[in-house]
Short mmCIF file of all heavy atoms in Angstrom, two decimals:
data_model
loop_
_atom_site.label_atom_id
_atom_site.label_comp_id
_atom_site.label_asym_id
_atom_site.label_seq_id
_atom_site.Cartn_x
_atom_site.Cartn_y
_atom_site.Cartn_z
N MET A 1 8.89 1.28 2.30
CA MET A 1 9.60 1.32 3.58
C MET A 1 9.88 2.76 3.96
O MET A 1 10.59 3.46 3.28
CB MET A 1 10.93 0.56 3.45
CG MET A 1 11.70 0.48 4.75
SD MET A 1 13.23 -0.44 4.52
CE MET A 1 12.57 -2.10 4.19
N ALA A 2 9.29 3.20 5.05
CA ALA A 2 9.46 4.58 5.43
C ALA A 2 9.56 4.72 6.94
O ALA A 2 8.84 4.05 7.68
CB ALA A 2 8.28 5.41 4.94
N LYS A 3 10.47 5.59 7.33
CA LYS A 3 10.58 5.87 8.75
C LYS A 3 9.48 6.86 9.12
O LYS A 3 9.07 7.69 8.31
CB LYS A 3 11.95 6.46 9.06
CG LYS A 3 12.32 6.36 10.52
CD LYS A 3 13.83 6.49 10.70
CE LYS A 3 14.19 6.21 12.15
NZ LYS A 3 15.65 6.29 12.36
N CYS A 4 8.99 6.76 10.35
CA CYS A 4 7.90 7.63 10.78
C CYS A 4 8.12 8.00 12.24
O CYS A 4 8.98 7.44 12.90
CB CYS A 4 6.57 6.91 10.59
SG CYS A 4 6.36 5.48 11.65
N PRO A 5 7.36 8.95 12.75
CA PRO A 5 7.51 9.30 14.16
C PRO A 5 7.21 8.09 15.05
O PRO A 5 6.46 7.20 14.65
CB PRO A 5 6.45 10.40 14.36
CG PRO A 5 6.23 10.96 13.01
CD PRO A 5 6.40 9.80 12.06
N PRO A 6 7.79 8.06 16.24
CA PRO A 6 7.59 6.91 17.13
C PRO A 6 6.11 6.66 17.45
O PRO A 6 5.33 7.59 17.60
CB PRO A 6 8.35 7.31 18.41
CG PRO A 6 9.33 8.34 17.98
CD PRO A 6 8.68 9.06 16.84
N TYR A 7 5.76 5.39 17.54
CA TYR A 7 4.40 5.02 17.95
C TYR A 7 4.46 3.69 18.69
O TYR A 7 5.43 2.95 18.60
CB TYR A 7 3.46 4.93 16.73
CG TYR A 7 3.81 3.85 15.74
CD1 TYR A 7 3.17 2.60 15.79
CD2 TYR A 7 4.77 4.05 14.75
CE1 TYR A 7 3.47 1.61 14.87
CE2 TYR A 7 5.08 3.05 13.83
CZ TYR A 7 4.43 1.83 13.89
OH TYR A 7 4.74 0.85 13.00
N HIS A 8 3.40 3.39 19.43
CA HIS A 8 3.34 2.16 20.20
C HIS A 8 1.88 1.76 20.38
O HIS A 8 0.98 2.51 20.00
CB HIS A 8 4.03 2.35 21.56
CG HIS A 8 3.37 3.35 22.45
ND1 HIS A 8 3.55 4.71 22.30
CD2 HIS A 8 2.50 3.21 23.47
CE1 HIS A 8 2.83 5.34 23.21
NE2 HIS A 8 2.18 4.46 23.94
N THR A 9 1.67 0.59 20.95
CA THR A 9 0.30 0.17 21.22
C THR A 9 -0.06 0.38 22.68
O THR A 9 0.80 0.27 23.56
CB THR A 9 0.10 -1.32 20.85
OG1 THR A 9 -1.23 -1.70 21.19
CG2 THR A 9 1.08 -2.22 21.60
N ALA A 10 -1.31 0.70 22.91
CA ALA A 10 -1.78 0.95 24.28
C ALA A 10 -1.94 -0.36 25.05
O ALA A 10 -2.04 -0.36 26.26
CB ALA A 10 -3.10 1.70 24.25
N THR A 11 -1.94 -1.47 24.35
CA THR A 11 -2.09 -2.76 25.02
C THR A 11 -0.72 -3.34 25.35
O THR A 11 0.29 -2.88 24.83
CB THR A 11 -2.82 -3.77 24.10
OG1 THR A 11 -1.99 -4.03 22.97
CG2 THR A 11 -4.16 -3.23 23.65
N ASN A 12 -0.68 -4.36 26.20
CA ASN A 12 0.59 -5.06 26.31
C ASN A 12 0.75 -5.90 25.04
O ASN A 12 -0.24 -6.30 24.42
CB ASN A 12 0.67 -5.90 27.59
CG ASN A 12 -0.14 -7.16 27.52
OD1 ASN A 12 0.00 -7.94 26.59
ND2 ASN A 12 -0.99 -7.38 28.51
N GLU A 13 1.98 -6.13 24.62
CA GLU A 13 2.22 -6.66 23.29
C GLU A 13 2.55 -8.14 23.29
O GLU A 13 3.19 -8.63 22.38
CB GLU A 13 3.34 -5.88 22.61
CG GLU A 13 2.98 -4.42 22.40
CD GLU A 13 3.97 -3.73 21.48
OE1 GLU A 13 4.64 -4.39 20.69
OE2 GLU A 13 4.08 -2.51 21.58
N THR A 14 2.13 -8.87 24.31
CA THR A 14 2.48 -10.29 24.36
C THR A 14 1.97 -11.03 23.14
O THR A 14 2.58 -12.00 22.69
CB THR A 14 1.93 -10.94 25.64
OG1 THR A 14 0.54 -10.66 25.72
CG2 THR A 14 2.63 -10.40 26.86
N ALA A 15 0.87 -10.58 22.56
CA ALA A 15 0.30 -11.26 21.40
C ALA A 15 1.10 -10.99 20.13
O ALA A 15 0.95 -11.68 19.14
CB ALA A 15 -1.14 -10.83 21.19
N TYR A 16 1.96 -10.00 20.16
CA TYR A 16 2.68 -9.60 18.96
C TYR A 16 4.13 -10.09 18.97
O TYR A 16 4.86 -9.85 18.03
CB TYR A 16 2.69 -8.08 18.82
CG TYR A 16 1.32 -7.45 18.86
CD1 TYR A 16 1.07 -6.36 19.67
CD2 TYR A 16 0.30 -7.97 18.07
CE1 TYR A 16 -0.18 -5.79 19.71
CE2 TYR A 16 -0.97 -7.39 18.11
CZ TYR A 16 -1.19 -6.30 18.93
OH TYR A 16 -2.42 -5.72 18.97
N GLY A 17 4.57 -10.72 20.06
CA GLY A 17 5.94 -11.18 20.13
C GLY A 17 6.91 -10.11 20.55
O GLY A 17 8.10 -10.36 20.66
N GLN A 18 6.42 -8.91 20.79
CA GLN A 18 7.26 -7.82 21.25
C GLN A 18 6.60 -7.25 22.48
O GLN A 18 5.39 -7.09 22.52
CB GLN A 18 7.37 -6.71 20.19
CG GLN A 18 8.11 -7.12 18.96
CD GLN A 18 9.61 -6.97 19.13
OE1 GLN A 18 10.07 -6.42 20.12
NE2 GLN A 18 10.37 -7.46 18.18
N ARG A 19 7.39 -6.93 23.48
CA ARG A 19 6.79 -6.42 24.71
C ARG A 19 7.32 -5.03 25.02
O ARG A 19 8.52 -4.84 25.11
CB ARG A 19 7.10 -7.35 25.88
CG ARG A 19 6.49 -8.72 25.68
CD ARG A 19 6.58 -9.52 26.94
NE ARG A 19 5.85 -8.88 28.03
CZ ARG A 19 5.63 -9.47 29.20
NH1 ARG A 19 6.08 -10.65 29.44
NH2 ARG A 19 4.96 -8.84 30.12
N ASN A 20 6.40 -4.11 25.18
CA ASN A 20 6.76 -2.77 25.66
C ASN A 20 7.86 -2.12 24.83
O ASN A 20 8.89 -1.70 25.35
CB ASN A 20 7.19 -2.84 27.14
CG ASN A 20 6.05 -3.31 28.01
OD1 ASN A 20 4.90 -2.93 27.79
ND2 ASN A 20 6.35 -4.13 28.98
N VAL A 21 7.67 -2.08 23.55
CA VAL A 21 8.61 -1.40 22.66
C VAL A 21 7.86 -0.31 21.89
O VAL A 21 6.63 -0.28 21.87
CB VAL A 21 9.25 -2.38 21.65
CG1 VAL A 21 10.07 -3.43 22.38
CG2 VAL A 21 8.21 -3.02 20.75
N TYR A 22 8.63 0.56 21.25
CA TYR A 22 8.00 1.50 20.32
C TYR A 22 8.53 1.22 18.92
O TYR A 22 9.58 0.59 18.75
CB TYR A 22 8.28 2.96 20.73
CG TYR A 22 9.67 3.48 20.43
CD1 TYR A 22 9.96 4.05 19.19
CD2 TYR A 22 10.67 3.40 21.38
CE1 TYR A 22 11.23 4.53 18.91
CE2 TYR A 22 11.95 3.88 21.11
CZ TYR A 22 12.22 4.45 19.87
OH TYR A 22 13.48 4.92 19.61
N HIS A 23 7.80 1.66 17.93
CA HIS A 23 8.17 1.45 16.53
C HIS A 23 8.40 2.80 15.87
O HIS A 23 7.81 3.81 16.26
CB HIS A 23 7.04 0.72 15.79
CG HIS A 23 6.60 -0.53 16.48
ND1 HIS A 23 7.24 -1.74 16.31
CD2 HIS A 23 5.61 -0.75 17.37
CE1 HIS A 23 6.65 -2.65 17.07
NE2 HIS A 23 5.65 -2.07 17.72
N ASP A 24 9.26 2.80 14.84
CA ASP A 24 9.45 4.04 14.09
C ASP A 24 9.54 3.77 12.59
O ASP A 24 10.10 4.54 11.84
CB ASP A 24 10.65 4.84 14.60
CG ASP A 24 11.94 4.08 14.53
OD1 ASP A 24 11.96 2.95 14.00
OD2 ASP A 24 12.97 4.62 15.00
N HIS A 25 8.94 2.66 12.16
CA HIS A 25 8.78 2.38 10.73
C HIS A 25 7.31 2.03 10.48
O HIS A 25 6.74 1.22 11.22
CB HIS A 25 9.66 1.20 10.29
CG HIS A 25 11.07 1.62 10.02
ND1 HIS A 25 11.50 2.00 8.78
CD2 HIS A 25 12.13 1.73 10.84
CE1 HIS A 25 12.79 2.33 8.83
NE2 HIS A 25 13.20 2.17 10.08
N ASP A 26 6.73 2.62 9.47
CA ASP A 26 5.31 2.38 9.25
C ASP A 26 5.04 1.01 8.63
O ASP A 26 3.91 0.58 8.54
CB ASP A 26 4.67 3.50 8.43
CG ASP A 26 5.31 3.68 7.06
OD1 ASP A 26 6.08 2.79 6.63
OD2 ASP A 26 5.03 4.70 6.43
N ASP A 27 6.09 0.33 8.19
CA ASP A 27 5.88 -1.00 7.62
C ASP A 27 6.45 -2.11 8.51
O ASP A 27 6.65 -3.23 8.07
CB ASP A 27 6.49 -1.08 6.22
CG ASP A 27 7.99 -0.80 6.24
OD1 ASP A 27 8.48 -0.28 7.25
OD2 ASP A 27 8.65 -1.10 5.23
N CYS A 28 6.71 -1.81 9.77
CA CYS A 28 7.17 -2.83 10.70
C CYS A 28 6.10 -3.91 10.85
O CYS A 28 4.94 -3.60 11.08
CB CYS A 28 7.45 -2.20 12.07
SG CYS A 28 7.79 -3.42 13.34
N PRO A 29 6.47 -5.20 10.69
CA PRO A 29 5.46 -6.26 10.79
C PRO A 29 4.77 -6.30 12.15
O PRO A 29 3.58 -6.63 12.22
CB PRO A 29 6.25 -7.55 10.53
CG PRO A 29 7.70 -7.19 10.63
CD PRO A 29 7.80 -5.72 10.35
N ASP A 30 5.50 -5.98 13.20
CA ASP A 30 4.87 -5.94 14.52
C ASP A 30 4.01 -4.68 14.67
O ASP A 30 2.90 -4.73 15.18
CB ASP A 30 5.92 -5.97 15.63
CG ASP A 30 6.59 -7.33 15.71
OD1 ASP A 30 5.93 -8.33 15.38
OD2 ASP A 30 7.76 -7.39 16.10
N GLY A 31 4.56 -3.57 14.22
CA GLY A 31 3.83 -2.32 14.34
C GLY A 31 2.54 -2.33 13.55
O GLY A 31 1.54 -1.74 13.97
N ARG A 32 2.54 -3.02 12.42
CA ARG A 32 1.34 -3.06 11.58
C ARG A 32 0.21 -3.86 12.20
O ARG A 32 -0.93 -3.78 11.77
CB ARG A 32 1.69 -3.63 10.20
CG ARG A 32 2.52 -2.66 9.39
CD ARG A 32 2.88 -3.21 8.03
NE ARG A 32 1.71 -3.32 7.17
CZ ARG A 32 1.77 -3.56 5.86
NH1 ARG A 32 2.94 -3.72 5.29
NH2 ARG A 32 0.68 -3.65 5.14
N GLN A 33 0.55 -4.66 13.21
CA GLN A 33 -0.49 -5.45 13.87
C GLN A 33 -1.24 -4.65 14.94
O GLN A 33 -2.22 -5.13 15.49
CB GLN A 33 0.13 -6.70 14.51
CG GLN A 33 0.68 -7.66 13.48
CD GLN A 33 1.12 -8.96 14.09
OE1 GLN A 33 0.33 -9.66 14.70
NE2 GLN A 33 2.38 -9.30 13.94
N ILE A 34 -0.74 -3.46 15.22
CA ILE A 34 -1.43 -2.63 16.20
C ILE A 34 -2.76 -2.15 15.62
O ILE A 34 -2.81 -1.61 14.53
CB ILE A 34 -0.56 -1.40 16.58
CG1 ILE A 34 0.75 -1.87 17.22
CG2 ILE A 34 -1.34 -0.48 17.53
CD1 ILE A 34 1.74 -0.73 17.48
N GLU A 35 -3.82 -2.40 16.35
CA GLU A 35 -5.13 -1.96 15.89
C GLU A 35 -5.26 -0.44 16.04
O GLU A 35 -4.68 0.16 16.95
CB GLU A 35 -6.22 -2.64 16.71
CG GLU A 35 -6.26 -4.14 16.51
CD GLU A 35 -7.33 -4.79 17.37
OE1 GLU A 35 -8.48 -4.31 17.33
OE2 GLU A 35 -7.02 -5.76 18.07
N ASP A 36 -6.05 0.15 15.15
CA ASP A 36 -6.21 1.60 15.16
C ASP A 36 -6.61 2.12 16.54
O ASP A 36 -6.13 3.15 17.00
CB ASP A 36 -7.27 2.02 14.14
CG ASP A 36 -6.75 1.90 12.71
OD1 ASP A 36 -5.53 1.73 12.54
OD2 ASP A 36 -7.58 1.97 11.79
N LYS A 37 -7.51 1.40 17.20
CA LYS A 37 -8.01 1.87 18.50
C LYS A 37 -6.92 1.84 19.57
O LYS A 37 -7.05 2.53 20.59
CB LYS A 37 -9.21 1.03 18.94
CG LYS A 37 -8.85 -0.43 19.24
CD LYS A 37 -10.07 -1.22 19.68
CE LYS A 37 -9.69 -2.68 19.95
NZ LYS A 37 -10.85 -3.48 20.33
N ASN A 38 -5.87 1.05 19.36
CA ASN A 38 -4.81 0.96 20.35
C ASN A 38 -3.56 1.74 19.97
O ASN A 38 -2.58 1.76 20.70
CB ASN A 38 -4.41 -0.52 20.55
CG ASN A 38 -5.53 -1.32 21.18
OD1 ASN A 38 -6.28 -0.81 21.99
ND2 ASN A 38 -5.64 -2.58 20.78
N TRP A 39 -3.58 2.36 18.79
CA TRP A 39 -2.42 3.09 18.29
C TRP A 39 -2.22 4.37 19.09
O TRP A 39 -3.16 5.12 19.33
CB TRP A 39 -2.63 3.40 16.81
CG TRP A 39 -1.39 3.84 16.09
CD1 TRP A 39 -0.57 3.05 15.34
CD2 TRP A 39 -0.88 5.18 16.02
NE1 TRP A 39 0.44 3.82 14.81
CE2 TRP A 39 0.28 5.13 15.21
CE3 TRP A 39 -1.26 6.40 16.57
CZ2 TRP A 39 1.05 6.26 14.94
CZ3 TRP A 39 -0.49 7.53 16.30
CH2 TRP A 39 0.64 7.44 15.49
N ARG A 40 -0.98 4.58 19.55
CA ARG A 40 -0.64 5.81 20.28
C ARG A 40 0.66 6.36 19.71
O ARG A 40 1.57 5.59 19.37
CB ARG A 40 -0.42 5.51 21.77
CG ARG A 40 -1.63 4.93 22.49
CD ARG A 40 -2.71 5.96 22.69
NE ARG A 40 -3.81 5.43 23.48
CZ ARG A 40 -4.83 4.72 23.00
NH1 ARG A 40 -4.89 4.44 21.71
NH2 ARG A 40 -5.78 4.27 23.79
N SER A 41 0.76 7.68 19.62
CA SER A 41 2.01 8.28 19.15
C SER A 41 2.99 8.40 20.30
O SER A 41 2.60 8.43 21.47
CB SER A 41 1.74 9.64 18.53
OG SER A 41 1.25 10.53 19.50
N GLY A 42 4.27 8.44 19.96
CA GLY A 42 5.32 8.61 20.96
C GLY A 42 5.96 7.29 21.36
O GLY A 42 5.44 6.21 21.08
N ALA A 43 7.12 7.39 22.00
CA ALA A 43 7.87 6.20 22.41
C ALA A 43 7.43 5.71 23.78
O ALA A 43 7.65 4.56 24.14
CB ALA A 43 9.36 6.51 22.43
N ASN A 44 6.82 6.59 24.56
CA ASN A 44 6.31 6.21 25.88
C ASN A 44 7.40 5.62 26.78
O ASN A 44 7.12 4.79 27.63
CB ASN A 44 5.16 5.21 25.71
CG ASN A 44 4.27 5.15 26.94
OD1 ASN A 44 4.10 6.16 27.63
ND2 ASN A 44 3.71 3.99 27.23
N GLY A 45 8.65 6.04 26.57
CA GLY A 45 9.74 5.57 27.42
C GLY A 45 10.16 4.14 27.17
O GLY A 45 10.91 3.56 27.95
N ARG A 46 9.67 3.55 26.08
CA ARG A 46 9.98 2.15 25.78
C ARG A 46 11.24 2.04 24.93
O ARG A 46 11.61 2.98 24.22
CB ARG A 46 8.81 1.52 25.01
CG ARG A 46 7.52 1.55 25.79
CD ARG A 46 6.41 0.96 24.95
NE ARG A 46 5.15 0.98 25.68
CZ ARG A 46 4.06 0.30 25.32
NH1 ARG A 46 4.09 -0.44 24.24
NH2 ARG A 46 2.98 0.37 26.02
N PRO A 47 11.90 0.87 24.94
CA PRO A 47 13.02 0.65 24.03
C PRO A 47 12.51 0.47 22.60
O PRO A 47 11.33 0.18 22.37
CB PRO A 47 13.67 -0.64 24.54
CG PRO A 47 12.57 -1.35 25.27
CD PRO A 47 11.67 -0.27 25.83
N ARG A 48 13.42 0.63 21.64
CA ARG A 48 13.03 0.53 20.24
C ARG A 48 12.83 -0.94 19.83
O ARG A 48 13.57 -1.82 20.24
CB ARG A 48 14.13 1.17 19.38
CG ARG A 48 13.75 1.37 17.95
CD ARG A 48 14.89 2.09 17.23
NE ARG A 48 14.62 2.25 15.82
CZ ARG A 48 15.57 2.34 14.89
NH1 ARG A 48 16.83 2.35 15.24
NH2 ARG A 48 15.25 2.47 13.62
N CYS A 49 11.87 -1.14 18.98
CA CYS A 49 11.52 -2.46 18.47
C CYS A 49 12.69 -3.09 17.68
O CYS A 49 13.34 -2.41 16.89
CB CYS A 49 10.31 -2.29 17.57
SG CYS A 49 10.01 -3.60 16.41
N ASP A 50 12.93 -4.39 17.90
CA ASP A 50 14.02 -5.06 17.18
C ASP A 50 13.79 -5.07 15.67
O ASP A 50 14.73 -4.96 14.89
CB ASP A 50 14.15 -6.49 17.67
CG ASP A 50 14.74 -6.57 19.06
OD1 ASP A 50 15.41 -5.60 19.48
OD2 ASP A 50 14.54 -7.60 19.74
N GLU A 51 12.55 -5.24 15.25
CA GLU A 51 12.24 -5.24 13.81
C GLU A 51 12.58 -3.88 13.21
O GLU A 51 13.13 -3.79 12.10
CB GLU A 51 10.76 -5.56 13.58
CG GLU A 51 10.33 -6.91 14.09
CD GLU A 51 10.83 -8.05 13.20
OE1 GLU A 51 11.25 -7.76 12.07
OE2 GLU A 51 10.80 -9.19 13.67
N CYS A 52 12.22 -2.82 13.92
CA CYS A 52 12.50 -1.49 13.41
C CYS A 52 14.01 -1.23 13.34
O CYS A 52 14.47 -0.56 12.42
CB CYS A 52 11.82 -0.45 14.29
SG CYS A 52 10.02 -0.40 14.10
N LYS A 53 14.77 -1.79 14.27
CA LYS A 53 16.23 -1.65 14.22
C LYS A 53 16.76 -2.26 12.93
O LYS A 53 17.63 -1.70 12.27
CB LYS A 53 16.87 -2.37 15.41
CG LYS A 53 16.71 -1.64 16.73
CD LYS A 53 17.38 -2.46 17.83
CE LYS A 53 17.12 -1.84 19.20
NZ LYS A 53 17.60 -2.75 20.28
N GLN A 54 16.23 -3.41 12.55
CA GLN A 54 16.70 -4.08 11.35
C GLN A 54 16.27 -3.33 10.09
O GLN A 54 16.95 -3.37 9.07
CB GLN A 54 16.16 -5.52 11.30
CG GLN A 54 16.80 -6.40 12.36
CD GLN A 54 16.36 -7.84 12.26
OE1 GLN A 54 15.90 -8.29 11.21
NE2 GLN A 54 16.48 -8.58 13.35
N LEU A 55 15.14 -2.67 10.15
CA LEU A 55 14.67 -1.89 9.01
C LEU A 55 15.49 -0.60 8.85
O LEU A 55 15.45 0.04 7.81
CB LEU A 55 13.19 -1.55 9.19
CG LEU A 55 12.22 -2.72 9.08
CD1 LEU A 55 10.82 -2.33 9.55
CD2 LEU A 55 12.16 -3.22 7.65
N GLY A 56 16.19 -0.23 9.89
CA GLY A 56 17.05 0.94 9.82
C GLY A 56 16.46 2.09 10.58
O GLY A 56 16.74 3.24 10.36
ZN1 ZN B 101 8.73 -2.16 15.03
#
């Protein structure tokens, strides 16, 4: 479990159960579903992922 710089997916996240959020844990279950080709660094002005909030 490790915190990491903010990242998000370039796609809309309806398939992941989270919409328009950013992640800041590299082991977030939602964040881990982001495909490499869609991975983008930064928060992109999105709110923080609920899963990442629980991870700390
Ligand atoms: Zn997350």
Side-chain angles (χ1 to χ4, degrees):
M1 183 179 293
K3 199 160 187 178
C4 67
Y7 65 96
H8 64 280
T9 178
T11 65
N12 75 52
E13 297 191 24
T14 53
Y16 306 132
Q18 292 276 352
R19 297 191 61 171
N20 297 321
V21 297
Y22 76 87
H23 308 276
D24 59 5
H25 278 269
D26 59 13
D27 60 345
C28 172
D30 290 330
R32 289 180 68 169
Q33 294 188 59
I34 298 173
E35 295 179 50
D36 287 347
K37 66 180 179 182
N38 294 326
W39 195 97
R40 299 288 185 276
S41 64
N44 200 32
R46 300 178 180 194
R48 191 176 176 207
C49 160
D50 288 338
E51 299 286 344
C52 288
K53 286 179 186 172
Q54 290 184 22
L55 290 169

